[in-house]
Amino acid sequence: MLEIKGLHAKVEGNEILKGLDLTINPGEVHAIMGPNGAGKSTLSAVLAGRDGYEVTAGEILFEGDNLLEMEVEDRARAGLMLAFQYPVEIPGVKNVYLLKAALNAQRAARGEAEIEAPAFMKLVREKLAQMKMDKSFLHRAVNEGFSGGEKKRNEILQMLVLEPKLAILDEIDSGLDIDALRVVADGVNSLRSEQRGVLMITHYQRLLDYIVPDVIHVLADGRIVKTGDKSLALELEARGYDWLLEADAS
Amino acid sequence: MANEAMEQLVRKEYKQGFYTDIESDTLPPGLDESVIRHISSIKQEPEWMLSWRLEAYRHWLTMTEPHHWAKLKYPSIDYQSVSYYSAPKKPEDAPQSLDEVDPKLLETYEKLGIPLHERAALAGVAVDAVFDSVSVTTTFKDQLAEAGVIFCSISEAIREYPELVRQYLGSVVPQGDNYFAALNSAVFTDGSFVYVPEGVTCPMELSTYFRINQANTGQFERTLIICDKRAQVSYLEGCTAPQRDENQLHAAVVELVALEDAYIKYSTVQNWYPGDEDGKGGIYNFVTKRGDCREDRAKISWTQVETGSALTWKYPSCILRGRDSVGEFYSVAVTNNHQQADTGTKMIHIGENTRSTIISKGISAGHSDQSYRGLVKVAPSARNARNFTQCDSLLLGASCGAHTFPYQEIGNASAQVEHEATTSKIGEDQLFYCMQRGISEEDAVNMIVNGFCKDVFKELPMEFAVEAEALLNVSLEGAVG
C-alpha cells in the first residue's frame, strides 16, 4: 500500500533523507528505529505533507497514487494518518468538535453522508472506554492542558475513530509511563488488521515489547541501513547503532 | 452641483430597484442650520430639541476632525457632500415584501443562516429603520407595554416621552464630547429608545437592525437606553449596508443609563459594508458608545462582534460611578483586505469597589490593520477598584498588522489592575494538525479562529452567537490560501 523509492528530502537546505526505500503491505506493522538526527521525523513529515520539507528526488506511491502530488487533507482523506510526536493545542476548540469535523470531512470525501449524532456519540464513547479516557475529555479543548500521556492517548483515540488505512506513529512512546504505554499499545494493537498498515517510528526498543512489529528497519543518515525481524531490536538494544553506521560507511 | 448630485442619487435609487417617489423627503447634500431645522421639523420635534441640536452644531463648527491619535488613515471627509436626511414620503413606499428588498441583503442573510421567517422580519425592520425610523417593536408592543417597557424610535420618544428624553439625552455623551458625537447630536435622524421601569426585567430580547441604504447618505443614529432601579434589559443591534464604491459615513451615539441594581446588556453584530478587496468603498464607522452605571450595584455589559466597515473608530465605555458597580467589555474584531480598525474600551472607575473586565480578541487578515486601544482609569475616590484586561491578537498572513495600546491611569493605591496581552500568528502547526485529520484549510481556519473567540462568543445571547460564528466565517473567506 505504501511504496517509497529513492526518496531524497531537504529541510532548510540540508539534505536529510538520502535515497530512502521502503515498502509496506496491508496487514504489516513496520518499525523504524535509528539514532537522533537520522531523519525519522522528517520521513513522517514528508509522508503527511508538511510545509518546509522539500522532496528533491524519488517517489512515494500510496495505494498506487502519487502521494507527493496530493494535498495534506487529501492524503488524510485517502487514509493516511499521523499520530504526532507533539500534538498541538487548539484553545477553544472542543475535542469532540474536531473529531466530528474530521470524521465528516473524511466521510464526505468517500461520498458518505454525515454521521448521525447518536451514532457518532455511541462510537466515540466506545473508543473512549477502550482508551480508558473519561467522557470529560470530549469537552476539553483539543490537547489544551493535557499531560503528555493524555495527548498520546488522544492521538490513538482519533485513530480508533477515523480508522486510517495507514497509521503512522511518530515517537508515540515518548513521555509515557508504563501504564499509559500499555493503554496506547493496546489501542494500536486493536487497529492491526489484514487491510491496515502501521508504521511506527521510535527511538526505544521498549515500545516493541508492547507492539510487536513484523519488520524492523534501521534508519541512519537518511537511508535504511538494515532491515530485519523483531530480533533486530534486541540486537540494537545490546549493541547500539554504531556498529551499523560503521558497517555502512566502509 | 446639488442638482447633479441629486440626479445621481435618484438614478442610483432606480438602479437599486427600491422606490421611486423620494424627492420630497430627501435633502440634497450639504449641512447648515437650515438642514437641521428641516430635520427637526420633519420629525415634529419640540423647540427644546431643535435648540439642543443647533447648540451641538455650533459647537461642532468649532471642532476639528480627529486624525492624529487613532491609528487610522483616511482622507478628510467632505461633510457638504453628504445628505443628512432621506426617507420616503409615505411609509408604504418602503419595501413591502422580501421581493422588493435588495437581493444582496437577502444573500447576506442567506449566508448568515438566519431562518426565513425571521429573515423576512429582519429585512423589513432594517429597511424601515433607515427610511423612516419605524422600529421593530410593532410586533411585541402589547407585551412590552404590559410590562411597562417603552421601546420605540428615538423620534417617537422625543414626541411621546419628552420628559424622559430631556432628562437623559446627552447625560452620558454630552453634545460636545467629541467631533463625531457633536455631529450626531446636531443631525441624528433615527435610532432606538428604551425605558425599563423600576423592578422590571424586560420580558424579551430587544433588537434593532440598522441599515444604510442610499448612496451619498450618512447615517446618524442615536440610541438611548435607560434601566431604572432593579430593572434589566438585553438589547441587540445588527448593521448591514449595500456595496458601493464611495465611502459612506456612519456616526452613531449610544447612551446607556443604569440606575441602582440595574443591568443592561448591549450586544452588537456590526457588518457594515467593508469595501471591496482593493479597499474601494465601505463604511466609515465613527461611533461613540458609553454606559453610565450611575448608581450603586449597577452593571453594564458591552459585547461586540465587529467584522464590517472600511474604517472603525469605536470605544464602548463604562463610567462606574455607583459603588460596587460593574462594567464589562467583550469584543471580537475582524479585519480583512484593506480594513482598518482602532477599537477598544474605556473603564472609568469612580465609585468604591467597582469592577471591570475587558476581553478583546482581534483577528487581522489580508492587508488590514487593527489596533486595540483601551483605557483603565481609577479615580482617587475608587477605593478597591479592580480591573482585568485580556487582549489577544491573531494574525492571518504576513501583510496585516495588530497593535495594542493599553493606557492606565491609577489614582488610588488600593486598585488592582491586571493586563494580559498576546499576539500570535495563526499556528501553522494547528492548521497542519487539523488538515492532517482531513479537514480543509478553510474549515481549519474557521475552527481555530472560532476557538480563539470562544470567550467572547459565550457572552452573546444564544441566537446571536450562531450568527456571529457564521459571520466570522464569511468575513474570513479567502483570507488564507
Side-chain angles (χ1 to χ4, degrees):
Chain A
M1 65 183 342
L2 182 74
E3 246 181 298
I4 305 175
K5 291 180 206 158
L7 183 67
H8 288 251
K10 277 184 181 174
V11 183
E12 290 170 357
N14 300 319
E15 185 162 58
I16 306 290
L17 297 181
K18 304 169 182 174
L20 185 142
D21 298 294
L22 176 68
T23 300
I24 298 179
N25 297 307
E28 292 177 354
V29 175
H30 289 236
I32 289 191
M33 304 186 70
N36 284 329
K40 299 194 299 291
S41 286
T42 299
L43 175 62
S44 67
V46 168
L47 287 172
R50 192 170 205 134
D51 269 352
Y53 293 80
E54 189 196 348
V55 173
T56 51
E59 66 170 351
I60 306 177
L61 296 178
F62 181 57
E63 304 244 284
D65 292 325
N66 183 349
L67 189 76
L68 295 174
E69 280 184 358
M70 294 162 74
E71 299 291 338
V72 176
E73 61 269 39
D74 293 331
R75 298 180 191 200
R77 291 167 185 171
L80 183 149
M81 180 167 178
L82 170 64
F84 287 75
Q85 182 178 4
Y86 303 108
V88 68
E89 301 188 357
I90 310 178
V93 177
K94 285 182 185 177
N95 247 325
V96 66
Y97 186 73
L98 176 81
L99 264 178
K100 199 171 180 188
L103 182 60
N104 279 329
Q106 300 205 6
R107 288 173 68 101
R110 293 193 294 261
E112 296 168 23
E114 287 199 356
I115 189 167
E116 305 258 348
F120 174 72
M121 287 317 293
K122 186 167 172 284
L123 173 72
V124 169
R125 283 211 194 96
E126 199 182 294
K127 305 302 184 191
L128 272 173
Q130 193 184 335
M131 292 309 293
K132 299 191 167 48
M133 291 164 82
D134 190 81
K135 268 188 297 188
S136 63
F137 265 90
L138 294 179
H139 299 284
R140 287 169 63 184
V142 178
N143 293 319
E144 196 181 37
F146 284 25
S147 70
E150 286 173 336
K151 285 183 182 173
K152 296 298 172 76
R153 268 190 226 199
N154 200 31
E155 293 294 288
I156 304 304
L157 173 74
Q158 293 180 11
M159 275 193 172
L160 294 177
V161 171
L162 298 175
E163 302 190 300
K165 288 181 188 154
L166 176 65
I168 303 167
L169 312 168
D170 191 0
E171 309 258 358
I172 197 71
D173 51 331
S174 66
L176 290 188
D177 62 32
I178 200 74
D179 293 326
L181 180 61
R182 213 168 264 147
V183 174
V184 164
D186 287 350
V188 175
N189 283 325
S190 78
L191 278 165
R192 296 179 88 143
S193 87
E194 292 292 306
Q195 291 81 39
R196 184 171 291 123
V198 177
L199 176 60
M200 293 188 281
I201 289 167
T202 182
H203 197 70
Y204 299 104
Q205 196 268 336
R206 185 181 71 154
L207 176 68
L208 310 186
D209 293 340
Y210 295 90
I211 308 170
V212 181
D214 302 304
V215 188
I216 294 176
H217 309 274
V218 176
L219 178 63
D221 195 25
R223 283 181 302 132
I224 303 248
V225 294
K226 180 124 182 119
T227 295
D229 63 14
K230 64 177 178 161
S231 61
L232 178 58
L234 298 172
E235 199 174 352
L236 290 170
E237 184 84 342
R239 298 176 64 185
Y241 292 109
D242 288 348
W243 60 282
L244 282 171
L245 298 180
E246 283 155 21
D248 188 52
S250 58
Chain B
M1 279 310 276
N3 276 343
E4 209 177 288
M6 188 70 202
E7 256 177 47
Q8 253 178 6
L9 196 72
V10 173
R11 269 208 302 279
K12 272 258 158 65
E13 288 319 315
Y14 283 131
K15 203 167 130 201
Q16 296 292 330
F18 270 70
Y19 53 87
T20 50
D21 182 19
I22 57 158
E23 287 141 287
S24 51
D25 276 354
T26 299
L27 289 179
L31 180 57
D32 57 26
E33 291 200 4
S34 75
V35 167
I36 293 165
R37 284 175 200 283
H38 194 101
I39 292 171
S40 188
S41 96
I42 296 170
K43 299 270 174 197
Q44 299 167 320
E45 288 176 355
E47 188 56 36
W48 61 266
M49 193 66 246
L50 175 62
S51 322
W52 196 84
R53 286 176 180 277
L54 290 173
E55 208 178 293
Y57 176 66
R58 286 165 197 152
H59 191 94
W60 178 72
L61 289 174
T62 67
M63 301 170 92
T64 47
E65 198 177 70
H67 276 273
H68 305 294
W69 55 267
K71 202 171 175 313
L72 299 170
K73 280 187 205 128
Y74 62 100
S76 289
I77 296 162
D78 179 4
Y79 294 90
Q80 297 305 331
S81 71
V82 175
S83 168
Y84 289 83
Y85 187 83
S86 174
K89 204 170 174 187
K90 293 171 287 182
E92 14 340 340
D93 290 340
Q96 300 297 311
S97 77
L98 271 179
D99 305 337
E100 295 172 50
V101 173
D102 184 353
K104 206 73 214 172
L105 174 62
L106 294 181
E107 201 180 289
T108 305
Y109 285 122
E110 197 80 49
K111 274 189 161 177
L112 293 178
I114 299 171
L116 189 73
H117 64 283
E118 203 179 322
R119 196 189 330 148
L122 293 179
V125 166
V127 175
D128 277 353
V130 166
F131 285 139
D132 56 4
S133 311
V134 175
S135 86
V136 63
T137 48
T138 12
T139 10
F140 297 111
K141 222 153 192 167
D142 293 346
Q143 249 174 291
L144 289 170
E146 229 168 84
V149 174
I150 301 169
F151 180 30
C152 61
S153 72
I154 192 92
S155 315
E156 191 181 334
I158 290 164
R159 290 193 304 270
E160 305 293 326
Y161 312 99
E163 320 74 38
L164 276 174
V165 176
R166 212 170 168 177
Q167 183 183 351
Y168 291 104
L169 188 76
S171 72
V172 187
V173 179
Q175 288 149 297
D177 187 80
N178 64 68
Y179 189 78
F180 295 104
L183 177 64
N184 174 286
S185 300
V187 303
F188 72 88
T189 41
D190 48 45
S192 300
F193 175 81
V194 178
Y195 174 77
V196 188
E198 197 170 324
V200 171
T201 297
C202 186
M204 66 192 68
E205 304 264 349
L206 303 182
S207 79
T208 305
Y209 271 73
F210 292 106
R211 180 165 166 79
I212 298 178
N213 203 63
Q214 296 240 32
N216 304 328
T217 307
Q219 179 151 320
F220 307 93
E221 86 250 4
R222 182 121 197 161
T223 297
L224 175 59
I225 299 177
I226 303 137
C227 245
D228 215 319
K229 294 177 198 295
R230 302 186 313 284
Q232 291 193 16
V233 69
S234 172
Y235 177 93
L236 321 169
E237 68 168 351
C239 322
T240 59
Q243 299 184 359
R244 293 187 195 284
D245 287 347
E246 66 273 19
N247 295 109
Q248 283 180 278
L249 178 62
H250 172 249
V253 172
V254 175
E255 297 180 275
L256 311 181
V257 180
L259 302 184
E260 201 175 273
D261 291 300
Y263 174 33
I264 301 176
K265 182 177 175 67
Y266 192 106
S267 312
T268 304
V269 172
Q270 185 266 108
N271 186 28
W272 297 122
Y273 179 53
D276 69 9
E277 282 168 32
D278 303 318
K280 196 172 184 196
I283 304 296
Y284 284 171
N285 192 31
F286 295 96
V287 175
T288 306
K289 286 184 164 164
R290 197 173 300 155
D292 187 357
C293 289
R294 200 161 281 184
E295 296 180 356
D296 295 353
R297 297 172 302 279
K299 178 175 174 183
I300 288 178
S301 181
W302 298 100
T303 304
Q304 59 172 24
V305 177
E306 303 272 322
T307 60
S309 300
L311 195 142
T312 298
W313 180 97
K314 180 182 168 186
Y315 316 90
S317 307
C318 296
I319 302 170
L320 304 170
R321 215 184 290 274
R323 290 163 62 131
D324 298 293
S325 59
V326 175
E328 294 174 337
F329 175 75
Y330 301 101
S331 170
V332 166
V334 181
T335 51
N336 196 357
N337 298 318
H338 291 266
Q339 283 176 276
Q340 304 176 65
D342 192 300
T343 182
T345 183
K346 288 186 270 183
M347 292 291 172
I348 315 291
H349 293 257
I350 298 170
E352 290 183 14
N353 301 319
T354 47
R355 283 166 291 147
S356 62
T357 303
I358 299 171
I359 296 183
S360 163
K361 305 276 181 176
I363 299 147
S364 320
H367 298 276
S368 69
D369 201 46
Q370 190 175 133
S371 304
Y372 167 81
R373 190 180 301 278
L375 168 68
V376 176
K377 182 170 180 166
V378 177
S381 56
R383 238 172 10 104
N384 295 323
R386 277 174 199 200
N387 163 266
F388 173 75
T389 300
Q390 185 186 333
C391 150
D392 301 322
S393 311
L394 190 65
L395 300 170
L396 275 68
S399 313
C400 51
H403 318 272
T404 304
F405 302 100
Y407 304 84
Q408 293 181 347
E409 295 172 22
I410 312 299
N412 188 307
S414 65
Q416 286 182 29
V417 177
E418 288 175 66
H419 181 94
E420 289 178 11
T422 65
T423 300
S424 49
K425 281 194 70 150
I426 190 160
E428 301 244 330
D429 287 352
Q430 293 173 332
L431 277 178
F432 181 66
Y433 188 84
C434 295
M435 288 162 70
Q436 213 297 308
R437 299 301 179 246
I439 297 166
S440 71
E441 183 169 31
E442 190 163 333
D443 288 346
V445 169
N446 284 337
M447 194 185 281
I448 294 163
V449 168
N450 275 302
F452 174 77
C453 300
K454 211 75 194 179
D455 294 344
V456 173
F457 284 166
K458 70 172 199 262
E459 298 296 331
L460 283 170
M462 203 158 59
E463 315 83 296
F464 249 33
V466 176
E467 195 175 325
E469 281 191 30
L471 186 58
L472 207 64
N473 297 352
V474 172
S475 304
L476 290 173
E477 243 172 42
V480 169

